[in-house]
Amino acid sequence: MTRLQLVQRVFLEAGLAGSGPSSTVDQVGEAEQIVGYVDEAWLNIQQARKWRWMWELVTLTLESGEQTITDEVPADRYLTDTAFIDTAPLTYLEWDVWRSTHPSITNTGTPCDWTVRPDNTLQFSSIASDDTTITVERFANPTVMTADDDTPAGLKGEHHMLIVWEAVLLYAGFDEASNLYAHAKAQRKRKLMAVTNAEGALNMRMGGPLA
C-alpha cells in the first residue's frame, strides 16, 4: 500500500466517517491527525527491531590523508565484526574504550581498528596513506514517507497491515476508544508476530543493544 492507501485503510478500520482523504499532503483536522499516526506507526515499526529488510552491505571510502568518514548511521546499527579492508578485518572498539586507547591519531598507513563516534562519524586508527575501500554490514536508518505514492521501503506488501493497526492503536489511545484500542492491539500483536517470524532480526553482534 502507498502512504495514501494506508491512511484510507486506517479510516476504514477505525470506523471513521468517509473513506479518507484524497491526498496525504497539506491536510488539516482529523485527516492530518491520521496521516501523522501512519507516519509515526511506520517509524515505530522500523525502530522496534533490526529488521532483515533494513540490512545493507555498504562500501565506504576513507580518503587519502583522512582518518574519519562522515556518516549518519549510529553505532548500534552496525554489525561491528563485519568491517573489512579487502580481506583484512577491522577490530571495532566501543567509543569509551577508543577514547582511552586512541587519544590522538598521528600515524599514517592502513588502519586496523575503528569506532563510531557519538556524532556518527566513523573514526579509524590510522591516517590513510591512500584512498582505502572499507566494506561493512549495517542496518539502514529508518525511512519516512512524504508523498501520496510513497511506500514503506523494504517492507513487503503482505505486512503493510501492521502499519495500519499500529496507526489505529495510536488513534484509539488518543481518542480513548477502549473497544477499538483492544481490537487494534490484538490485531497489531498478530501482525507483528507474522512480520517478526518472516523478517526478524539477524542473529549477529551489534555495536549496541537490540532495539
Side-chain angles (χ1 to χ4, degrees):
M1 285 184 275
T2 65
R3 186 185 189 219
L4 177 59
Q5 290 170 333
L6 289 165
V7 168
Q8 292 170 341
R9 188 61 183 266
V10 171
F11 265 78
L12 174 65
E13 299 298 346
L16 300 174
S19 57
S22 58
S23 175
T24 61
V25 181
D26 296 330
Q27 289 296 327
V28 296
E30 187 174 62
E32 180 185 23
Q33 184 183 43
I34 299 303
V35 170
Y37 285 146
V38 166
D39 292 343
E40 183 179 352
W42 175 225
L43 182 61
N44 289 348
I45 291 164
Q46 292 177 91
Q47 293 176 331
R49 302 281 191 280
K50 300 298 190 299
W51 299 105
R52 289 180 182 270
W53 78 76
M54 300 178 76
W55 175 91
E56 59 184 9
L57 174 64
V58 295
T59 300
L60 306 171
T61 300
L62 179 62
E63 296 181 353
S64 178
E66 299 294 334
Q67 56 181 286
T68 60
I69 298 175
T70 302
D71 206 88
E72 298 180 355
V73 177
D76 66 351
R77 303 194 70 80
Y78 283 89
L79 298 168
T80 55
D81 57 355
T82 67
F84 287 85
I85 297 175
D86 294 327
T87 59
L90 292 170
T91 299
Y92 182 83
L93 299 177
E94 298 288 347
W95 175 244
D96 287 343
V97 175
W98 182 277
R99 288 188 302 171
S100 61
T101 58
H102 297 77
S104 64
I105 306 298
T106 58
N107 59 301
T108 300
T110 301
C112 58
D113 300 331
W114 71 296
T115 192
V116 181
R117 299 188 329 204
D119 64 358
N120 300 332
T121 297
L122 279 66
Q123 174 85 54
F124 297 89
S125 58
S126 299
I127 299 169
S129 54
D130 298 291
D131 286 356
T132 303
T133 299
I134 296 160
T135 59
V136 65
E137 298 176 37
R138 67 187 185 187
F139 291 89
N141 282 335
T143 61
V144 297
M145 297 183 289
T146 58
D148 290 342
D149 293 335
D150 285 352
T151 58
L155 181 63
K156 295 178 181 177
E158 64 199 76
H159 300 310
H160 285 185
M161 284 301 295
L162 175 58
I163 301 174
V164 172
W165 288 116
E166 174 72 10
V168 173
L169 192 64
L170 292 169
Y171 166 78
F174 172 81
D175 200 47
E176 298 183 354
S178 58
N179 290 338
L180 179 61
Y181 187 91
H183 177 62
K185 186 175 181 180
Q187 292 297 321
R188 182 192 64 173
K189 181 179 179 180
R190 184 170 64 86
K191 293 297 183 182
L192 180 60
M193 183 178 297
V195 177
T196 301
N197 289 339
E199 302 284 349
L202 295 170
N203 186 23
M204 294 184 179
R205 184 164 59 86
M206 304 297 298
L210 184 67

